[in-house]
């Protein structure tokens, strides 16, 4: 399947290639400043979660936005939830009727180079990329993500998994998802599906509506 069928997709592919080359050459990726930002809204049966993505993790940000705008995440579920830890979702397999393959990803799925240099922490409500086990720097899944539910954060994971966003509204919804009934594989007994949309708003409006303060 062509991962980038649209013009926007081709632009994303170019961004990923250029940014990956910059990382390989140990050069910083220049981030163009803007007065606007992308507000991501995740709607679930437990409520609405809103978050922003970090500009200094451009590979993960561009990949997530491309998938969100294409509708990829709509109908996927939070397939792994652990109270006092995190809730994980975004696997395409969670759209089918077989719960046993949730979280396994699909053969041949590409990965995203880790972006650990920004130093973002696993605070409460942090958005981070899942990945297959391995040392820090192991590439991330190109779709699966998790939201930190532990109110004190999960800082043992700092520097190991790429944190590329932060929930700015709906932390209580993460708590509700983490507490749903689940089986011995930490999969909810009843599906917790999501729809994801993206809005381009002025940063000042995001700050006014949700209290999120941008640095710099």
């Amino acid at each position: 399947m062509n991962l980038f069928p649209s013009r926007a997709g081709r632009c994303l592919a170019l961004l990923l290639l250029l940014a990956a080359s910059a990382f390989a050459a140990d050069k910083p990726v220049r981030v163009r400043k803007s007065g606007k930002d992308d507000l991501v809204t995740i709607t679930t049966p437990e409520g609405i979660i809103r978050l922003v993505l970090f500009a200094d993790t451009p590979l993960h940000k561009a990949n997530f936005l491309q998938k969100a705008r294409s509708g990829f995440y709509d109908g996927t579920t939070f397939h792994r939830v652990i109270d006092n830890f995190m809730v994980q979702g975004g696997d395409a397999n969670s759209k089918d009727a077989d719960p046993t393959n949730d979280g396994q990803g699909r053969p041949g799925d590409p990965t995203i180079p880790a972006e650990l240099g920004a130093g973002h922490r696993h605070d409460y409500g942090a958005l981070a990329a899942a990945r297959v086990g391995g040392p820090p720097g192991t590439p991330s899944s190109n779709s699966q993500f998790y939201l930190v539910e532990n109110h004190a954060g999960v800082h043992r994971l700092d520097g190991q998994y790429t944190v590329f966003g932060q929930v700015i509204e709906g932390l209580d919804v993460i708590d509700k998802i983490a507490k749903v009934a689940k089986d011995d594989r930490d999969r909810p007994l009843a599906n917790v599906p999501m729809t994801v949309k993206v809005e381009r708003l002025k940063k000042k409006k995001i700050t006014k509506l949700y209290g999120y303060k941008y640095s710099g």
Side-chain angles (χ1 to χ4, degrees):
M1 179 181 294
N2 186 357
L3 292 176
F4 306 108
S6 66
R7 181 178 178 183
R10 292 193 296 272
C11 290
L12 170 60
L14 179 60
L15 171 62
L16 292 175
L17 178 63
L18 292 175
S21 298
F23 280 119
D26 197 26
K27 295 179 180 179
V29 176
R30 293 183 180 180
V31 179
R32 186 176 66 178
K33 293 185 178 180
S34 171
K36 293 186 176 182
D37 198 7
D38 299 293
L39 178 70
V40 177
T41 299
I42 301 176
T43 302
T44 79
E46 301 297 331
I48 292 174
I49 300 167
R50 290 189 171 88
L51 52 86
V52 293
L53 308 180
F54 300 141
D56 55 5
T57 50
L59 302 181
H60 287 73
K61 178 175 182 175
N63 178 71
F64 188 95
L65 290 176
Q66 188 274 332
K67 283 183 164 50
R69 288 178 171 132
S70 72
F72 173 91
Y73 286 120
D74 295 345
T76 62
T77 74
F78 284 98
H79 63 268
R80 181 173 178 241
V81 304
I82 302 176
D83 193 16
N84 205 37
F85 181 27
M86 59 90 219
V87 300
Q88 180 175 335
D91 183 12
N93 291 342
S94 65
K95 294 183 180 183
D96 65 29
D98 180 7
T100 65
N101 66 9
D102 293 359
Q104 296 179 13
R106 294 183 172 178
D109 276 350
T111 55
I112 306 297
E115 295 179 288
L116 304 176
H120 296 297
R121 290 161 52 87
H122 283 73
D123 296 323
Y124 181 31
L127 166 69
R131 62 170 172 76
V132 177
T138 298
S140 305
S141 164
N142 83 323
S143 69
Q144 294 188 55
F145 63 89
Y146 59 93
L147 302 172
V148 174
E149 189 266 336
N150 189 304
H151 291 207
V154 187
H155 297 298
R156 68 179 183 276
L157 300 182
D158 291 349
Q160 299 187 50
Y161 295 77
T162 299
V163 174
F164 64 103
Q166 177 64 41
V167 171
I168 61 175
E169 183 181 70
L171 290 170
D172 60 317
V173 177
I174 303 176
D175 293 343
K176 291 176 183 177
I177 294 172
K179 289 176 171 58
V180 300
K182 55 188 183 257
D183 62 21
D184 57 3
R185 297 182 299 114
D186 298 315
R187 187 189 186 282
L189 298 179
N191 284 345
V192 184
M194 71 181 83
T195 58
V196 182
K197 72 174 185 178
V198 181
E199 299 173 272
R200 188 74 173 167
L201 298 177
K202 291 183 177 179
K203 291 180 178 179
K204 289 182 179 179
K205 185 171 183 179
I206 292 175
T207 298
K208 181 178 180 180
L209 290 175
Y210 306 108
Y212 181 75
K213 295 183 180 180
Y214 290 89
S215 59

